Amino acid sequence: MTAPEPSPLLAPADGVPDLLATPDEFTRAAESLAAGTGPIALDTERASGYRYSQRAYLIQIRRTGSGTFLIDPIEHPDALGPLIDVLDGPEWILHAADQDLPCLTELGMRATSLFDTELAGRLLNLQKVNLAAMVAHFLGLGLAKGHGAADWSHRPLPAEWLNYAALDVEVLVELRAAMRAALADAGRLEWATEEFAYELRKPPPSPRTDRWRRTSNIHTLRTQRQLAVVAELWAAREQIAQRRDIAPGRVLPDSAIITAATAAPTTEAALTALPVFGGPRQRRQARVWLDAITRALALDEKQLPPRKQPVVGLPPVNRWEQRNPPAAARAHEVRPAIKELADRIGLPAENLLAPDVLRELCWTGIEPAGPGEVDAWLDAHGARRWQRGLTAEPIAEALGAAAGLSAAADPPRSS
């Protein structure tokens, strides 16, 4: 039997609320939210692809008994105090919290408890965890989409964009209730509670090294000198993008960087003869780009970047056999054991245990490797209690099997 088509949700039930942008409007919104009850649904709209920063250009807030509020924080961010105060305490409902929490924190808004609907969907092993799919699955509603990738720094914001934004929080409270019940029925509510708490306290990811190596089509370059040109142009572009708060690709596209690295022009005339660089906007920056290229061409051979990015952290697992045979043996036993367990209980393996934690465990090993020692190791590396309860014993068994394989592979010592 096919599932019924979801009922279209094309507009908020109470209409699209006004956009609030003044201190007085923020205060009145905070008073209305304080009079509401239960958790508070939030969402943000950024301008990824248009702006360098990841700031929030719109904040959507909804609470039972209060309604929906669309907050423009750009002109008066210092006047958000009343909203910050009312948000301090109630549970927040977010979808993909790791995307919204940083820009809300930047504005001084901090959650004390959280319900992340995307993460809840992963713990329920749903095949699709985007907001529209889960609203359809749990509530039978078809959520109107279409403006998520828009330039939300644009002002004034069009009416259809505001309609889209309001719909993103229109049924989050109801979705949270349905998903909480589903988690409880599946015996996974405690798992979710631990995951949501971890989401609030986990440290930010470490910054990437040599980010310029992510330039599109850099693999087509053949020499270290060309890589140096890419690195210098990338750094110059990054400075301009950050200063002007423009997405780097809109300052200078990756394709132009690769073209310049291949041609290595030494004069402005040669540079502006290249595609993209001949346009009026790029001609105004020609001296900046040429200076970057000149710096790269003047580098000593010993200063040139290596062809391949230096390995940071653990090497790829397929190289462990040569570099760390005991680690390879552990990975051979432990990783399939975790995959089998995840499949058996119906959970994505990466949610059962973080891949980075699993790799580190296999690389370093644990001595002795009983369930208690494995539990302590996992605890020290950030695994939650529910994860440790499920995985400590299978990992201990797999480590024991790996130790046996390693011992059998060691040649006997002569007496």
Side-chain angles (χ1 to χ4, degrees), residues 16 51 61 95 110 117 162 172 184 191 304 316 341 372:
V16 179
R51 296 291 180 174
I61 309 175
H95 184 78
R110 290 176 173 81
T117 52
L162 296 177
L172 267 186
W191 300 4
L304 296 177
L341 174 60

Side-chain angles (χ1 to χ4, degrees), residues 43-295:
D43 190 25
T44 66
E45 304 298 342
R46 299 173 295 280
S48 303
Y50 296 89
R51 296 291 180 174
Y52 183 88
S53 70
Q54 289 299 307
R55 69 187 298 185
Y57 284 93
L58 182 70
I59 305 169
Q60 305 100 287
I61 309 175
R62 181 174 178 82
R63 193 179 197 187
T64 301
S66 303
T68 298
F69 301 88
L70 302 180
I71 307 296
D72 181 347
I74 300 304
E75 291 298 324
H76 299 284
D78 295 338
L80 293 171
L83 286 168
I84 292 172
D85 291 342
V86 79
L87 291 172
D88 184 7
E91 178 186 85
W92 290 11
I93 311 169
L94 291 168
H95 184 78
D98 58 343
Q99 298 181 27
D100 295 301
L101 286 174
C103 60
L104 291 169
T105 300
E106 183 181 347
L107 291 169
M109 300 175 177
R110 290 176 173 81
T112 55
S113 63
L114 172 70
F115 192 102
D116 185 337
T117 52
E118 183 193 57
L119 184 49
R122 295 188 186 282
L123 293 175
L124 290 168
N125 203 31
L126 299 181
Q127 295 303 305
K128 295 182 179 180
V129 295
N130 62 75
L131 183 59
M134 293 202 297
V135 166
H137 178 84
F138 286 99
L139 305 179
L141 297 173
L143 195 59
K145 305 297 288 182
H147 301 290
D151 178 8
W152 288 89
S153 67
H154 174 82
R155 294 296 184 275
L157 290 170
E160 61 269 24
W161 293 16
L162 296 177
N163 181 77
Y164 159 86
L167 285 174
D168 270 353
V169 293
E170 174 78 1
V171 292
L172 267 186
V173 173
E174 292 81 358
L175 179 62
R176 178 257 187 204
M179 298 193 77
R180 190 180 190 280
L183 287 165
D185 290 343
R188 299 183 177 187
L189 184 57
E190 185 176 342
W191 300 4
T193 301
E194 291 183 28
E195 288 300 301
F196 299 155
Y198 177 74
E199 187 72 25
L200 292 178
R201 71 173 188 271
K202 72 178 182 181
S206 301
R208 294 181 179 271
T209 58
D210 287 354
R211 290 189 294 143
W212 57 270
R213 290 184 183 271
R214 297 173 64 84
T215 303
S216 299
N217 292 319
I218 195 172
H219 66 279
T220 62
L221 301 181
R222 295 289 177 259
T223 72
Q224 291 175 261
R225 185 72 62 185
Q226 291 172 332
L227 294 180
V229 174
V230 172
E232 290 291 345
L233 282 172
W234 187 94
R237 180 182 72 174
E238 193 78 358
Q239 291 179 353
I240 295 172
Q242 187 171 18
R243 183 177 71 248
R244 295 170 56 191
D245 192 19
I246 299 175
R250 292 179 175 271
V251 174
L252 184 69
D254 282 6
S255 59
I257 292 179
I258 298 299
T259 298
T262 303
T266 57
T267 66
E268 282 195 33
L271 175 67
T272 55
L274 298 175
V276 178
F277 290 98
R281 186 171 57 180
Q282 298 306 334
R283 282 180 176 274
R284 291 195 292 271
Q285 301 287 345
R287 176 47 56 184
V288 173
W289 307 134
L290 187 62
D291 286 348
I293 296 169
T294 301
R295 287 193 298 272

